[in-house]
PDB file of all heavy atoms in Angstrom:
ATOM      1  N   THR A 777    -225.238 -27.175 195.497  1.00 60.00           N
ATOM      2  CA  THR A 777    -224.825 -27.723 196.774  1.00 60.00           C
ATOM      3  C   THR A 777    -224.267 -29.070 196.651  1.00 60.00           C
ATOM      4  O   THR A 777    -224.097 -29.542 195.559  1.00 60.00           O
ATOM      5  CB  THR A 777    -226.082 -27.806 197.690  1.00 60.00           C
ATOM      6  OG1 THR A 777    -226.920 -28.741 197.173  1.00 60.00           O
ATOM      7  CG2 THR A 777    -226.831 -26.427 197.820  1.00 60.00           C
ATOM      8  N   LEU A 778    -223.929 -29.591 197.780  1.00 64.00           N
ATOM      9  CA  LEU A 778    -223.366 -30.982 197.789  1.00 64.00           C
ATOM     10  C   LEU A 778    -224.329 -31.981 197.383  1.00 64.00           C
ATOM     11  O   LEU A 778    -225.532 -31.845 197.738  1.00 64.00           O
ATOM     12  CB  LEU A 778    -222.815 -31.356 199.123  1.00 64.00           C
ATOM     13  CG  LEU A 778    -221.652 -30.554 199.642  1.00 64.00           C
ATOM     14  CD1 LEU A 778    -221.298 -30.971 201.092  1.00 64.00           C
ATOM     15  CD2 LEU A 778    -220.406 -30.830 198.734  1.00 64.00           C
ATOM     16  N   ALA A 779    -223.995 -33.012 196.600  1.00 69.00           N
ATOM     17  CA  ALA A 779    -224.820 -34.056 196.239  1.00 69.00           C
ATOM     18  C   ALA A 779    -224.436 -35.333 197.010  1.00 69.00           C
ATOM     19  O   ALA A 779    -223.378 -35.340 197.663  1.00 69.00           O
ATOM     20  CB  ALA A 779    -224.708 -34.373 194.716  1.00 69.00           C
ATOM     21  N   PRO A 780    -225.294 -36.293 197.158  1.00 70.00           N
ATOM     22  CA  PRO A 780    -224.917 -37.479 197.959  1.00 70.00           C
ATOM     23  C   PRO A 780    -223.536 -38.089 197.611  1.00 70.00           C
ATOM     24  O   PRO A 780    -222.831 -38.479 198.516  1.00 70.00           O
ATOM     25  CB  PRO A 780    -226.042 -38.433 197.721  1.00 70.00           C
ATOM     26  CG  PRO A 780    -227.203 -37.571 197.397  1.00 70.00           C
ATOM     27  CD  PRO A 780    -226.592 -36.444 196.582  1.00 70.00           C
ATOM     28  N   GLN A 781    -223.172 -38.065 196.322  1.00 76.00           N
ATOM     29  CA  GLN A 781    -221.873 -38.669 195.996  1.00 76.00           C
ATOM     30  C   GLN A 781    -220.721 -37.817 196.502  1.00 76.00           C
ATOM     31  O   GLN A 781    -219.557 -38.314 196.467  1.00 76.00           O
ATOM     32  CB  GLN A 781    -221.746 -38.932 194.520  1.00 76.00           C
ATOM     33  CG  GLN A 781    -221.927 -37.690 193.586  1.00 76.00           C
ATOM     34  CD  GLN A 781    -223.298 -37.332 193.234  1.00 76.00           C
ATOM     35  OE1 GLN A 781    -224.289 -37.763 193.793  1.00 76.00           O
ATOM     36  NE2 GLN A 781    -223.397 -36.579 192.155  1.00 76.00           N
ATOM     37  N   ASP A 782    -220.919 -36.533 196.893  1.00 75.00           N
ATOM     38  CA  ASP A 782    -219.820 -35.742 197.441  1.00 75.00           C
ATOM     39  C   ASP A 782    -219.537 -36.141 198.963  1.00 75.00           C
ATOM     40  O   ASP A 782    -218.520 -35.573 199.435  1.00 75.00           O
ATOM     41  CB  ASP A 782    -220.240 -34.266 197.387  1.00 75.00           C
ATOM     42  CG  ASP A 782    -220.396 -33.791 195.915  1.00 75.00           C
ATOM     43  OD1 ASP A 782    -219.639 -34.245 195.087  1.00 75.00           O
ATOM     44  OD2 ASP A 782    -221.275 -32.984 195.667  1.00 75.00           O
ATOM     45  N   TRP A 783    -220.403 -36.860 199.583  1.00 73.00           N
ATOM     46  CA  TRP A 783    -220.206 -37.235 200.995  1.00 73.00           C
ATOM     47  C   TRP A 783    -219.349 -38.480 201.176  1.00 73.00           C
ATOM     48  O   TRP A 783    -219.287 -39.294 200.234  1.00 73.00           O
ATOM     49  CB  TRP A 783    -221.499 -37.455 201.632  1.00 73.00           C
ATOM     50  CG  TRP A 783    -222.387 -36.173 201.665  1.00 73.00           C
ATOM     51  CD1 TRP A 783    -223.003 -35.596 200.738  1.00 73.00           C
ATOM     52  CD2 TRP A 783    -222.640 -35.421 202.903  1.00 73.00           C
ATOM     53  NE1 TRP A 783    -223.636 -34.441 201.213  1.00 73.00           N
ATOM     54  CE2 TRP A 783    -223.364 -34.364 202.538  1.00 73.00           C
ATOM     55  CE3 TRP A 783    -222.184 -35.565 204.235  1.00 73.00           C
ATOM     56  CZ2 TRP A 783    -223.845 -33.327 203.448  1.00 73.00           C
ATOM     57  CZ3 TRP A 783    -222.596 -34.634 205.115  1.00 73.00           C
ATOM     58  CH2 TRP A 783    -223.436 -33.559 204.782  1.00 73.00           C
ATOM     59  N   PRO A 784    -218.680 -38.635 202.232  1.00 78.00           N
ATOM     60  CA  PRO A 784    -218.007 -39.971 202.509  1.00 78.00           C
ATOM     61  C   PRO A 784    -218.965 -41.132 202.527  1.00 78.00           C
ATOM     62  O   PRO A 784    -220.191 -40.952 202.838  1.00 78.00           O
ATOM     63  CB  PRO A 784    -217.385 -39.782 203.884  1.00 78.00           C
ATOM     64  CG  PRO A 784    -217.401 -38.315 204.216  1.00 78.00           C
ATOM     65  CD  PRO A 784    -218.600 -37.701 203.421  1.00 78.00           C
ATOM     66  N   ALA A 785    -218.558 -42.248 202.005  1.00 80.00           N
ATOM     67  CA  ALA A 785    -219.442 -43.416 201.858  1.00 80.00           C
ATOM     68  C   ALA A 785    -220.168 -43.792 203.111  1.00 80.00           C
ATOM     69  O   ALA A 785    -221.288 -44.195 203.052  1.00 80.00           O
ATOM     70  CB  ALA A 785    -218.670 -44.640 201.333  1.00 80.00           C
ATOM     71  N   ASP A 786    -219.529 -43.628 204.239  1.00 82.00           N
ATOM     72  CA  ASP A 786    -220.191 -44.031 205.523  1.00 82.00           C
ATOM     73  C   ASP A 786    -221.112 -42.885 206.044  1.00 82.00           C
ATOM     74  O   ASP A 786    -221.620 -43.074 207.139  1.00 82.00           O
ATOM     75  CB  ASP A 786    -219.166 -44.550 206.562  1.00 82.00           C
ATOM     76  CG  ASP A 786    -218.142 -43.387 206.868  1.00 82.00           C
ATOM     77  OD1 ASP A 786    -218.062 -42.384 206.168  1.00 82.00           O
ATOM     78  OD2 ASP A 786    -217.469 -43.520 207.921  1.00 82.00           O
ATOM     79  N   ALA A 787    -221.219 -41.769 205.366  1.00 75.00           N
ATOM     80  CA  ALA A 787    -222.053 -40.666 205.863  1.00 75.00           C
ATOM     81  C   ALA A 787    -222.908 -40.084 204.789  1.00 75.00           C
ATOM     82  O   ALA A 787    -223.319 -38.956 204.960  1.00 75.00           O
ATOM     83  CB  ALA A 787    -221.091 -39.602 206.477  1.00 75.00           C
ATOM     84  N   THR A 788    -223.218 -40.822 203.848  1.00 74.00           N
ATOM     85  CA  THR A 788    -224.169 -40.285 202.777  1.00 74.00           C
ATOM     86  C   THR A 788    -225.541 -40.101 203.300  1.00 74.00           C
ATOM     87  O   THR A 788    -226.127 -40.982 203.881  1.00 74.00           O
ATOM     88  CB  THR A 788    -224.219 -41.347 201.634  1.00 74.00           C
ATOM     89  OG1 THR A 788    -222.854 -41.579 201.154  1.00 74.00           O
ATOM     90  CG2 THR A 788    -225.117 -40.806 200.425  1.00 74.00           C
ATOM     91  N   PRO A 789    -226.014 -38.926 203.046  1.00 71.00           N
ATOM     92  CA  PRO A 789    -227.423 -38.540 203.631  1.00 71.00           C
ATOM     93  C   PRO A 789    -228.533 -39.252 202.735  1.00 71.00           C
ATOM     94  O   PRO A 789    -228.218 -39.510 201.562  1.00 71.00           O
ATOM     95  CB  PRO A 789    -227.454 -36.991 203.436  1.00 71.00           C
ATOM     96  CG  PRO A 789    -226.577 -36.666 202.336  1.00 71.00           C
ATOM     97  CD  PRO A 789    -225.467 -37.699 202.429  1.00 71.00           C
ATOM     98  N   GLU A 790    -229.636 -39.433 203.386  1.00 75.00           N
ATOM     99  CA  GLU A 790    -230.772 -39.875 202.641  1.00 75.00           C
ATOM    100  C   GLU A 790    -231.406 -38.720 202.029  1.00 75.00           C
ATOM    101  O   GLU A 790    -231.651 -37.645 202.671  1.00 75.00           O
ATOM    102  CB  GLU A 790    -231.725 -40.609 203.643  1.00 75.00           C
ATOM    103  CG  GLU A 790    -232.967 -41.155 202.955  1.00 75.00           C
ATOM    104  CD  GLU A 790    -233.874 -41.902 203.893  1.00 75.00           C
ATOM    105  OE1 GLU A 790    -233.425 -42.324 204.949  1.00 75.00           O
ATOM    106  OE2 GLU A 790    -235.094 -41.778 203.661  1.00 75.00           O
ATOM    107  N   ILE A 791    -231.873 -38.823 200.777  1.00 77.00           N
ATOM    108  CA  ILE A 791    -232.565 -37.687 200.166  1.00 77.00           C
ATOM    109  C   ILE A 791    -234.018 -37.783 200.453  1.00 77.00           C
ATOM    110  O   ILE A 791    -234.693 -38.766 200.212  1.00 77.00           O
ATOM    111  CB  ILE A 791    -232.414 -37.779 198.587  1.00 77.00           C
ATOM    112  CG1 ILE A 791    -230.924 -37.766 198.258  1.00 77.00           C
ATOM    113  CG2 ILE A 791    -233.202 -36.684 197.927  1.00 77.00           C
ATOM    114  CD1 ILE A 791    -230.455 -37.074 197.091  1.00 77.00           C
ATOM    115  N   GLY A 792    -234.487 -36.656 201.129  1.00 77.00           N
ATOM    116  CA  GLY A 792    -235.907 -36.553 201.519  1.00 77.00           C
ATOM    117  C   GLY A 792    -236.756 -35.904 200.387  1.00 77.00           C
ATOM    118  O   GLY A 792    -237.893 -36.185 200.163  1.00 77.00           O
ATOM    119  N   ALA A 793    -236.181 -35.041 199.717  1.00 82.00           N
ATOM    120  CA  ALA A 793    -236.791 -34.292 198.618  1.00 82.00           C
ATOM    121  C   ALA A 793    -235.710 -33.727 197.682  1.00 82.00           C
ATOM    122  O   ALA A 793    -234.686 -33.376 198.133  1.00 82.00           O
ATOM    123  CB  ALA A 793    -237.668 -33.273 199.093  1.00 82.00           C
ATOM    124  N   GLU A 794    -236.047 -33.618 196.409  1.00 84.00           N
ATOM    125  CA  GLU A 794    -235.124 -32.900 195.486  1.00 84.00           C
ATOM    126  C   GLU A 794    -235.811 -31.682 195.056  1.00 84.00           C
ATOM    127  O   GLU A 794    -237.047 -31.609 194.739  1.00 84.00           O
ATOM    128  CB  GLU A 794    -234.850 -33.796 194.262  1.00 84.00           C
ATOM    129  CG  GLU A 794    -233.968 -34.954 194.721  1.00 84.00           C
ATOM    130  CD  GLU A 794    -233.380 -35.655 193.488  1.00 84.00           C
ATOM    131  OE1 GLU A 794    -233.028 -34.879 192.507  1.00 84.00           O
ATOM    132  OE2 GLU A 794    -233.094 -36.915 193.548  1.00 84.00           O
ATOM    133  N   THR A 795    -235.159 -30.522 195.181  1.00 86.00           N
ATOM    134  CA  THR A 795    -235.639 -29.290 194.852  1.00 86.00           C
ATOM    135  C   THR A 795    -234.714 -28.436 193.883  1.00 86.00           C
ATOM    136  O   THR A 795    -233.601 -28.830 193.693  1.00 86.00           O
ATOM    137  CB  THR A 795    -235.806 -28.374 196.110  1.00 86.00           C
ATOM    138  OG1 THR A 795    -234.549 -28.138 196.732  1.00 86.00           O
ATOM    139  CG2 THR A 795    -236.799 -29.143 197.134  1.00 86.00           C
ATOM    140  N   SER A 796    -235.288 -27.466 193.222  1.00 87.00           N
ATOM    141  CA  SER A 796    -234.508 -26.735 192.232  1.00 87.00           C
ATOM    142  C   SER A 796    -234.216 -25.273 192.638  1.00 87.00           C
ATOM    143  O   SER A 796    -233.460 -24.535 191.946  1.00 87.00           O
ATOM    144  CB  SER A 796    -235.125 -26.739 190.827  1.00 87.00           C
ATOM    145  OG  SER A 796    -236.383 -26.220 190.872  1.00 87.00           O
ATOM    146  N   ASN A 797    -234.743 -24.809 193.750  1.00 87.00           N
ATOM    147  CA  ASN A 797    -234.481 -23.469 194.266  1.00 87.00           C
ATOM    148  C   ASN A 797    -234.709 -23.390 195.729  1.00 87.00           C
ATOM    149  O   ASN A 797    -235.204 -24.318 196.426  1.00 87.00           O
ATOM    150  CB  ASN A 797    -235.400 -22.519 193.480  1.00 87.00           C
ATOM    151  CG  ASN A 797    -236.830 -22.715 193.647  1.00 87.00           C
ATOM    152  OD1 ASN A 797    -237.349 -22.780 194.737  1.00 87.00           O
ATOM    153  ND2 ASN A 797    -237.586 -22.864 192.554  1.00 87.00           N
ATOM    154  N   ALA A 798    -234.298 -22.336 196.363  1.00 86.00           N
ATOM    155  CA  ALA A 798    -234.384 -22.129 197.718  1.00 86.00           C
ATOM    156  C   ALA A 798    -235.817 -22.171 198.369  1.00 86.00           C
ATOM    157  O   ALA A 798    -236.032 -22.781 199.409  1.00 86.00           O
ATOM    158  CB  ALA A 798    -233.717 -20.774 198.133  1.00 86.00           C
ATOM    159  N   GLU A 799    -236.768 -21.588 197.611  1.00 90.00           N
ATOM    160  CA  GLU A 799    -238.112 -21.653 198.085  1.00 90.00           C
ATOM    161  C   GLU A 799    -238.650 -23.056 198.142  1.00 90.00           C
ATOM    162  O   GLU A 799    -239.257 -23.377 199.095  1.00 90.00           O
ATOM    163  CB  GLU A 799    -239.061 -20.767 197.241  1.00 90.00           C
ATOM    164  CG  GLU A 799    -238.894 -19.382 197.449  1.00 90.00           C
ATOM    165  CD  GLU A 799    -239.976 -18.545 196.899  1.00 90.00           C
ATOM    166  OE1 GLU A 799    -241.063 -19.069 196.578  1.00 90.00           O
ATOM    167  OE2 GLU A 799    -239.813 -17.205 196.820  1.00 90.00           O
ATOM    168  N   GLU A 800    -238.445 -23.911 197.131  1.00 91.00           N
ATOM    169  CA  GLU A 800    -238.905 -25.237 197.184  1.00 91.00           C
ATOM    170  C   GLU A 800    -238.192 -26.029 198.281  1.00 91.00           C
ATOM    171  O   GLU A 800    -238.742 -26.867 198.958  1.00 91.00           O
ATOM    172  CB  GLU A 800    -238.485 -25.985 195.839  1.00 91.00           C
ATOM    173  CG  GLU A 800    -239.338 -25.499 194.655  1.00 91.00           C
ATOM    174  CD  GLU A 800    -239.002 -26.224 193.362  1.00 91.00           C
ATOM    175  OE1 GLU A 800    -238.137 -27.180 193.420  1.00 91.00           O
ATOM    176  OE2 GLU A 800    -239.551 -25.887 192.281  1.00 91.00           O
ATOM    177  N   TYR A 801    -236.956 -25.700 198.458  1.00 88.00           N
ATOM    178  CA  TYR A 801    -236.052 -26.377 199.551  1.00 88.00           C
ATOM    179  C   TYR A 801    -236.740 -26.040 200.901  1.00 88.00           C
ATOM    180  O   TYR A 801    -236.979 -26.916 201.734  1.00 88.00           O
ATOM    181  CB  TYR A 801    -234.654 -25.767 199.452  1.00 88.00           C
ATOM    182  CG  TYR A 801    -233.680 -26.246 200.487  1.00 88.00           C
ATOM    183  CD1 TYR A 801    -232.852 -27.266 200.242  1.00 88.00           C
ATOM    184  CD2 TYR A 801    -233.540 -25.557 201.751  1.00 88.00           C
ATOM    185  CE1 TYR A 801    -231.869 -27.733 201.177  1.00 88.00           C
ATOM    186  CE2 TYR A 801    -232.580 -25.953 202.627  1.00 88.00           C
ATOM    187  CZ  TYR A 801    -231.768 -26.990 202.365  1.00 88.00           C
ATOM    188  OH  TYR A 801    -230.816 -27.401 203.220  1.00 88.00           O
ATOM    189  N   LEU A 802    -237.091 -24.864 201.128  1.00 91.00           N
ATOM    190  CA  LEU A 802    -237.716 -24.434 202.438  1.00 91.00           C
ATOM    191  C   LEU A 802    -239.063 -25.001 202.564  1.00 91.00           C
ATOM    192  O   LEU A 802    -239.455 -25.404 203.719  1.00 91.00           O
ATOM    193  CB  LEU A 802    -237.658 -22.891 202.604  1.00 91.00           C
ATOM    194  CG  LEU A 802    -236.246 -22.318 202.719  1.00 91.00           C
ATOM    195  CD1 LEU A 802    -236.337 -20.835 202.616  1.00 91.00           C
ATOM    196  CD2 LEU A 802    -235.505 -22.795 203.901  1.00 91.00           C
ATOM    197  N   HIS A 803    -239.888 -25.047 201.546  1.00 91.00           N
ATOM    198  CA  HIS A 803    -241.167 -25.679 201.566  1.00 91.00           C
ATOM    199  C   HIS A 803    -241.099 -27.180 201.936  1.00 91.00           C
ATOM    200  O   HIS A 803    -241.887 -27.682 202.716  1.00 91.00           O
ATOM    201  CB  HIS A 803    -241.990 -25.547 200.233  1.00 91.00           C
ATOM    202  CG  HIS A 803    -242.498 -24.112 200.005  1.00 91.00           C
ATOM    203  ND1 HIS A 803    -243.318 -23.501 200.848  1.00 91.00           N
ATOM    204  CD2 HIS A 803    -242.274 -23.304 199.038  1.00 91.00           C
ATOM    205  CE1 HIS A 803    -243.594 -22.277 200.422  1.00 91.00           C
ATOM    206  NE2 HIS A 803    -242.903 -22.153 199.272  1.00 91.00           N
ATOM    207  N   ALA A 804    -240.066 -27.805 201.395  1.00 89.00           N
ATOM    208  CA  ALA A 804    -239.853 -29.241 201.709  1.00 89.00           C
ATOM    209  C   ALA A 804    -239.423 -29.456 203.208  1.00 89.00           C
ATOM    210  O   ALA A 804    -239.976 -30.330 203.859  1.00 89.00           O
ATOM    211  CB  ALA A 804    -238.754 -29.859 200.827  1.00 89.00           C
ATOM    212  N   VAL A 805    -238.611 -28.557 203.713  1.00 90.00           N
ATOM    213  CA  VAL A 805    -238.311 -28.557 205.163  1.00 90.00           C
ATOM    214  C   VAL A 805    -239.594 -28.382 205.966  1.00 90.00           C
ATOM    215  O   VAL A 805    -239.800 -29.051 206.937  1.00 90.00           O
ATOM    216  CB  VAL A 805    -237.247 -27.627 205.489  1.00 90.00           C
ATOM    217  CG1 VAL A 805    -237.031 -27.454 207.022  1.00 90.00           C
ATOM    218  CG2 VAL A 805    -235.914 -27.905 204.825  1.00 90.00           C
ATOM    219  N   ALA A 806    -240.320 -27.387 205.692  1.00 90.00           N
ATOM    220  CA  ALA A 806    -241.545 -27.061 206.427  1.00 90.00           C
ATOM    221  C   ALA A 806    -242.537 -28.163 206.425  1.00 90.00           C
ATOM    222  O   ALA A 806    -243.272 -28.426 207.313  1.00 90.00           O
ATOM    223  CB  ALA A 806    -242.248 -25.728 205.846  1.00 90.00           C
ATOM    224  N   ALA A 807    -242.542 -28.943 205.234  1.00 89.00           N
ATOM    225  CA  ALA A 807    -243.447 -30.061 205.079  1.00 89.00           C
ATOM    226  C   ALA A 807    -242.824 -31.322 205.692  1.00 89.00           C
ATOM    227  O   ALA A 807    -243.424 -32.421 205.526  1.00 89.00           O
ATOM    228  CB  ALA A 807    -243.698 -30.291 203.618  1.00 89.00           C
ATOM    229  N   ARG A 808    -241.748 -31.241 206.420  1.00 86.00           N
ATOM    230  CA  ARG A 808    -241.211 -32.381 207.103  1.00 86.00           C
ATOM    231  C   ARG A 808    -240.630 -33.462 206.222  1.00 86.00           C
ATOM    232  O   ARG A 808    -240.568 -34.632 206.523  1.00 86.00           O
ATOM    233  CB  ARG A 808    -242.121 -32.951 208.178  1.00 86.00           C
ATOM    234  CG  ARG A 808    -242.543 -31.963 209.167  1.00 86.00           C
ATOM    235  CD  ARG A 808    -243.629 -32.453 210.048  1.00 86.00           C
ATOM    236  NE  ARG A 808    -243.523 -33.904 210.259  1.00 86.00           N
ATOM    237  CZ  ARG A 808    -243.628 -34.571 211.405  1.00 86.00           C
ATOM    238  NH1 ARG A 808    -243.913 -33.882 212.448  1.00 86.00           N
ATOM    239  NH2 ARG A 808    -243.597 -35.872 211.469  1.00 86.00           N
ATOM    240  N   ARG A 809    -240.124 -33.065 204.900  1.00 85.00           N
ATOM    241  CA  ARG A 809    -239.606 -33.997 204.043  1.00 85.00           C
ATOM    242  C   ARG A 809    -238.086 -34.015 204.112  1.00 85.00           C
ATOM    243  O   ARG A 809    -237.386 -34.668 203.319  1.00 85.00           O
ATOM    244  CB  ARG A 809    -240.021 -33.654 202.678  1.00 85.00           C
ATOM    245  CG  ARG A 809    -241.577 -33.917 202.501  1.00 85.00           C
ATOM    246  CD  ARG A 809    -241.973 -33.836 201.066  1.00 85.00           C
ATOM    247  NE  ARG A 809    -241.317 -32.659 200.496  1.00 85.00           N
ATOM    248  CZ  ARG A 809    -241.716 -32.182 199.341  1.00 85.00           C
ATOM    249  NH1 ARG A 809    -242.813 -32.594 198.757  1.00 85.00           N
ATOM    250  NH2 ARG A 809    -241.098 -31.148 198.831  1.00 85.00           N
ATOM    251  N   GLY A 810    -237.450 -33.204 204.983  1.00 82.00           N
ATOM    252  CA  GLY A 810    -236.044 -33.222 205.193  1.00 82.00           C
ATOM    253  C   GLY A 810    -235.590 -32.089 206.003  1.00 82.00           C
ATOM    254  O   GLY A 810    -236.368 -31.292 206.548  1.00 82.00           O
ATOM    255  N   VAL A 811    -234.272 -32.015 206.206  1.00 81.00           N
ATOM    256  CA  VAL A 811    -233.579 -30.954 206.889  1.00 81.00           C
ATOM    257  C   VAL A 811    -232.421 -30.536 206.099  1.00 81.00           C
ATOM    258  O   VAL A 811    -232.134 -31.231 205.143  1.00 81.00           O
ATOM    259  CB  VAL A 811    -233.140 -31.455 208.355  1.00 81.00           C
ATOM    260  CG1 VAL A 811    -234.344 -31.840 209.184  1.00 81.00           C
ATOM    261  CG2 VAL A 811    -232.099 -32.516 208.288  1.00 81.00           C
ATOM    262  N   GLY A 812    -231.773 -29.406 206.462  1.00 81.00           N
ATOM    263  CA  GLY A 812    -230.592 -29.058 205.661  1.00 81.00           C
ATOM    264  C   GLY A 812    -229.866 -27.944 206.400  1.00 81.00           C
ATOM    265  O   GLY A 812    -230.235 -27.426 207.364  1.00 81.00           O
ATOM    266  N   VAL A 813    -228.758 -27.598 205.707  1.00 80.00           N
ATOM    267  CA  VAL A 813    -227.821 -26.549 206.100  1.00 80.00           C
ATOM    268  C   VAL A 813    -227.844 -25.533 205.003  1.00 80.00           C
ATOM    269  O   VAL A 813    -227.657 -25.842 203.796  1.00 80.00           O
ATOM    270  CB  VAL A 813    -226.420 -27.065 206.337  1.00 80.00           C
ATOM    271  CG1 VAL A 813    -225.468 -25.969 206.701  1.00 80.00           C
ATOM    272  CG2 VAL A 813    -226.471 -28.159 207.437  1.00 80.00           C
ATOM    273  N   LEU A 814    -228.044 -24.229 205.426  1.00 83.00           N
ATOM    274  CA  LEU A 814    -228.035 -23.212 204.385  1.00 83.00           C
ATOM    275  C   LEU A 814    -227.463 -21.929 204.925  1.00 83.00           C
ATOM    276  O   LEU A 814    -227.274 -21.816 206.217  1.00 83.00           O
ATOM    277  CB  LEU A 814    -229.411 -22.906 203.844  1.00 83.00           C
ATOM    278  CG  LEU A 814    -230.620 -23.097 204.750  1.00 83.00           C
ATOM    279  CD1 LEU A 814    -231.147 -21.828 205.217  1.00 83.00           C
ATOM    280  CD2 LEU A 814    -231.657 -23.866 203.986  1.00 83.00           C
ATOM    281  N   PRO A 815    -227.123 -20.971 204.116  1.00 82.00           N
ATOM    282  CA  PRO A 815    -226.486 -19.746 204.649  1.00 82.00           C
ATOM    283  C   PRO A 815    -227.474 -18.951 205.497  1.00 82.00           C
ATOM    284  O   PRO A 815    -228.659 -18.982 205.339  1.00 82.00           O
ATOM    285  CB  PRO A 815    -226.197 -18.893 203.322  1.00 82.00           C
ATOM    286  CG  PRO A 815    -226.342 -19.900 202.220  1.00 82.00           C
ATOM    287  CD  PRO A 815    -227.238 -20.988 202.669  1.00 82.00           C
ATOM    288  N   VAL A 816    -226.886 -18.275 206.411  1.00 83.00           N
ATOM    289  CA  VAL A 816    -227.582 -17.354 207.314  1.00 83.00           C
ATOM    290  C   VAL A 816    -228.454 -16.406 206.532  1.00 83.00           C
ATOM    291  O   VAL A 816    -229.652 -16.059 206.910  1.00 83.00           O
ATOM    292  CB  VAL A 816    -226.678 -16.661 208.313  1.00 83.00           C
ATOM    293  CG1 VAL A 816    -227.462 -15.611 209.107  1.00 83.00           C
ATOM    294  CG2 VAL A 816    -226.030 -17.589 209.237  1.00 83.00           C
ATOM    295  N   SER A 817    -227.962 -15.905 205.410  1.00 85.00           N
ATOM    296  CA  SER A 817    -228.753 -14.885 204.648  1.00 85.00           C
ATOM    297  C   SER A 817    -230.024 -15.507 204.089  1.00 85.00           C
ATOM    298  O   SER A 817    -231.033 -14.768 204.052  1.00 85.00           O
ATOM    299  CB  SER A 817    -227.893 -14.431 203.462  1.00 85.00           C
ATOM    300  OG  SER A 817    -227.504 -15.555 202.635  1.00 85.00           O
ATOM    301  N   VAL A 818    -230.040 -16.804 203.862  1.00 86.00           N
ATOM    302  CA  VAL A 818    -231.309 -17.422 203.322  1.00 86.00           C
ATOM    303  C   VAL A 818    -232.301 -17.369 204.458  1.00 86.00           C
ATOM    304  O   VAL A 818    -233.519 -17.037 204.332  1.00 86.00           O
ATOM    305  CB  VAL A 818    -231.154 -18.800 202.817  1.00 86.00           C
ATOM    306  CG1 VAL A 818    -232.397 -19.564 202.425  1.00 86.00           C
ATOM    307  CG2 VAL A 818    -230.232 -18.719 201.486  1.00 86.00           C
ATOM    308  N   ALA A 819    -231.886 -17.807 205.682  1.00 87.00           N
ATOM    309  CA  ALA A 819    -232.752 -17.860 206.897  1.00 87.00           C
ATOM    310  C   ALA A 819    -233.331 -16.440 207.056  1.00 87.00           C
ATOM    311  O   ALA A 819    -234.481 -16.269 207.407  1.00 87.00           O
ATOM    312  CB  ALA A 819    -231.985 -18.367 208.088  1.00 87.00           C
ATOM    313  N   ALA A 820    -232.468 -15.420 207.023  1.00 88.00           N
ATOM    314  CA  ALA A 820    -232.873 -14.024 207.234  1.00 88.00           C
ATOM    315  C   ALA A 820    -233.945 -13.551 206.212  1.00 88.00           C
ATOM    316  O   ALA A 820    -234.811 -12.790 206.488  1.00 88.00           O
ATOM    317  CB  ALA A 820    -231.701 -13.085 207.303  1.00 88.00           C
ATOM    318  N   GLN A 821    -233.765 -13.964 204.934  1.00 90.00           N
ATOM    319  CA  GLN A 821    -234.633 -13.513 203.867  1.00 90.00           C
ATOM    320  C   GLN A 821    -235.929 -14.331 203.798  1.00 90.00           C
ATOM    321  O   GLN A 821    -236.911 -13.981 203.090  1.00 90.00           O
ATOM    322  CB  GLN A 821    -233.945 -13.602 202.517  1.00 90.00           C
ATOM    323  CG  GLN A 821    -232.709 -12.588 202.415  1.00 90.00           C
ATOM    324  CD  GLN A 821    -231.942 -12.872 201.151  1.00 90.00           C
ATOM    325  OE1 GLN A 821    -232.298 -13.810 200.348  1.00 90.00           O
ATOM    326  NE2 GLN A 821    -230.969 -12.031 200.975  1.00 90.00           N
ATOM    327  N   HIS A 822    -235.962 -15.516 204.395  1.00 91.00           N
ATOM    328  CA  HIS A 822    -237.123 -16.394 204.408  1.00 91.00           C
ATOM    329  C   HIS A 822    -237.599 -16.842 205.701  1.00 91.00           C
ATOM    330  O   HIS A 822    -237.587 -18.028 206.033  1.00 91.00           O
ATOM    331  CB  HIS A 822    -236.796 -17.659 203.514  1.00 91.00           C
ATOM    332  CG  HIS A 822    -236.407 -17.310 202.022  1.00 91.00           C
ATOM    333  ND1 HIS A 822    -237.394 -17.054 201.108  1.00 91.00           N
ATOM    334  CD2 HIS A 822    -235.221 -17.139 201.496  1.00 91.00           C
ATOM    335  CE1 HIS A 822    -236.746 -16.876 199.902  1.00 91.00           C
ATOM    336  NE2 HIS A 822    -235.463 -16.815 200.169  1.00 91.00           N
TER     337      HIS A 822
END
């Protein structure tokens, strides 16, 4: 996915959590450590 350095300097997101797979990513969102954008297929499968 995009890393913070891929964003414009005035719109760099703050990193709430670093994860290595979709399940960790979703657990971090559920734990209120961040938000994100992901494919509809991931939402449907999880």
Side-chain angles (χ1 to χ4, degrees):
T777 64
L778 293 174
Q781 62 269 20
D782 297 323
W783 292 75
D786 61 343
T788 303
E790 179 181 333
I791 301 218
E794 291 194 32
T795 62
S796 59
N797 60 55
E799 281 194 17
E800 289 178 7
Y801 179 94
L802 295 171
H803 286 300
V805 171
R808 300 173 31 137
R809 295 189 318 200
V811 299
V813 176
L814 34 104
V816 171
S817 60
V818 173
Q821 293 172 0
H822 297 277

